[in-house]
Amino acid sequence: MRSLTYRADGAALSTWSTFSIGPLQTSALIVEGDGEQAIAPESVRVQVLEGEVVLPEEMAPWRAEIAEAEEQAETNGIRVRTWNGPRYAVESLEISRTALEEQPEVRLRLRPTDYFTFLAAQQLDRRLLDGSTPRGRYLDPDKPLDAPAFLQCSFGVNVAVVTADHLLVVSQRAANVRSGAGLWGSSVNEGLSRHIDSAGRSAPDLHDVARRGMREELSLEPHEFTLTMLAFVLDVERRQWCAHFTAHLAGLTGDALRDRISRGVADRWEHQGIEYVPFRPADVVRYLLRPDRVRRWAPVAPALFHLALVHTHGRSAVERAEAQAVRRLRN
């Protein structure tokens, strides 16, 4: 079995670059997956390690500041206090191939953490006592896959949803969310929750997390779509990991989905807008590169839509559409 291991003591692959299309530059590094080959549910093993993530001594007060600020905000009536929900941090992600078919096999190792620790760790450019920053002290730009678990307190799923009449669903994050406010992104975005996704102390199932996101954000039930895992992606700027999926609706058109959403969804507050784009390479690429949109994307969304297009239309057709779109911009 051939194997590549990505963890703090692993070897770097500095030749890798983040996803881009012409002027659209992102911080999304596609670690595994090309869109053409699906990653089977049985090929993904998730392990939860014992022992919660611990922040370095110099960063621990940052978490205390966040907790105090949230409590004070609620006391003063400024806003509802943010819930310090139980989350997961990424200890390591190991990729291997089966000996004969060379099918991908993934082992994801997680540690318990919480939302306030995540918020503290997101302050990657805040000065430490010696004048350095967490980004400068703990991260090597030439080794993007190497990072301590306390700087990777986030793992989520992103889903590209395609309706029965071949429309891609694109969502805009609400203006009042803590992460990515106002940005355009995936149809569905859901973070792993220790409270919800690990019932009975079992390790979370990433496909089940995606199904939960489909239900909570679009009011869709599992029998209404086919779900396919496409990739594992790392936002190297924010140190946030995610799994990319595509979901094709079996009978719901764009209009029917719009009607469904109008009757209520569990997490309506997370999004403030939805648009539909014809799910064809040329149309989606033009949409990604629109002047009013090219710098308003959530970091991992363009890579998600590219992989979803490749899975349906093939790599050649998608890359041809991307090259043509970039040439038009330059002429």
Side-chain angles (χ1 to χ4, degrees):
M1 182 176 288
R2 274 200 324 247
S3 178
L4 291 173
T5 300
Y6 312 123
R7 52 180 162 230
D9 59 349
L13 293 176
S14 60
T15 57
W16 287 16
S17 59
T18 54
F19 182 84
S20 65
I21 306 174
L24 175 57
Q25 305 290 317
T26 78
S27 54
L29 181 65
I30 301 175
V31 176
E32 171 61 24
D34 62 0
E36 292 187 311
Q37 184 178 30
I39 301 175
E42 60 272 17
S43 298
V44 180
R45 179 186 175 191
V46 181
Q47 180 184 9
V48 178
L49 306 176
E50 294 185 0
E52 292 205 12
V53 164
V54 177
L55 289 168
E57 184 177 352
E58 286 184 282
M59 295 177 63
W62 301 358
R63 184 188 180 282
E65 289 175 7
I66 292 167
E68 182 180 355
E70 290 298 327
E71 183 175 357
Q72 192 64 42
E74 184 178 41
T75 301
N76 295 339
I78 300 173
R79 54 180 165 78
V80 177
R81 182 179 179 181
T82 300
W83 181 52
N84 185 27
R87 300 165 64 95
Y88 286 110
V90 176
E91 177 77 14
S92 66
L93 181 73
E94 302 174 6
I95 309 293
S96 60
R97 292 287 186 271
T98 57
L100 298 179
E101 296 87 359
E102 294 202 352
Q103 297 294 317
E105 292 190 335
V106 181
R107 184 183 180 191
L108 175 63
R109 301 169 74 228
L110 304 172
R111 284 195 182 277
T113 188
D114 58 35
Y115 188 58
F116 286 174
T117 301
F118 161 73
L119 292 178
Q122 283 289 283
Q123 301 178 71
L124 288 165
D125 298 307
R126 181 173 175 176
R127 295 294 177 183
L128 298 165
L129 294 178
D130 64 356
S132 66
T133 64
R135 190 186 304 279
R137 180 183 293 187
Y138 299 108
L139 301 177
D140 184 342
D142 293 326
K143 300 178 181 179
L145 301 176
D146 294 352
F150 67 81
L151 288 186
Q152 302 188 136
C153 294
S154 175
F155 192 100
V157 302
N158 288 279
V159 187
V161 175
V162 181
T163 66
D165 52 346
H166 310 294
L167 298 174
L168 175 66
V169 181
V170 183
S171 299
Q172 185 182 25
R173 298 277 289 169
N176 60 345
V177 296
R178 294 293 294 264
S179 179
L183 297 181
W184 289 87
S186 56
S187 317
V188 168
N189 171 263
E190 194 66 55
L192 265 66
S193 166
R194 283 194 287 138
H195 175 69
I196 300 173
D197 299 313
S198 297
R201 301 184 66 182
S202 61
D205 181 296
L206 302 185
H207 284 73
D208 284 345
V209 178
R211 295 183 188 100
R212 176 169 67 83
M214 296 283 284
R215 182 176 62 254
E216 293 181 356
E217 296 185 16
L218 297 179
S219 289
L220 293 168
E221 297 300 328
H223 70 274
E224 296 181 297
F225 57 85
T226 57
L227 187 67
T228 305
M229 179 183 283
L230 300 177
F232 285 85
V233 176
L234 169 64
D235 177 355
V236 296
E237 179 69 19
R238 297 160 186 79
R239 304 307 308 180
Q240 297 181 19
W241 284 89
C242 59
H244 279 354
F245 291 81
T246 185
H248 288 255
L249 306 189
L252 282 174
T253 64
D255 287 341
L257 179 59
R258 195 186 305 275
D259 291 343
R260 174 78 61 87
I261 295 171
S262 73
R263 291 191 287 269
V265 294
D267 287 345
R268 180 181 296 278
W269 61 273
E270 291 188 7
H271 297 127
Q272 65 184 26
I274 288 180
E275 291 184 354
Y276 292 146
V277 185
F279 192 58
R280 297 185 293 264
D283 293 282
V284 174
V285 174
R286 281 197 301 268
Y287 184 78
L288 288 171
L289 297 179
R290 269 175 38 178
D292 64 333
R293 191 60 54 82
V294 69
R295 290 181 174 81
R296 296 296 300 162
W297 289 108
V300 299
L304 167 68
F305 296 149
H306 164 87
L307 293 168
L309 285 170
V310 168
H311 189 70
T312 297
H313 298 281
R315 177 171 299 278
S316 296
V318 176
E319 291 186 346
R320 184 166 56 249
E322 291 170 348
Q324 291 172 348
V326 172
R327 282 198 300 270
R328 291 192 192 99
L329 290 175
R330 292 172 177 170
N331 292 337

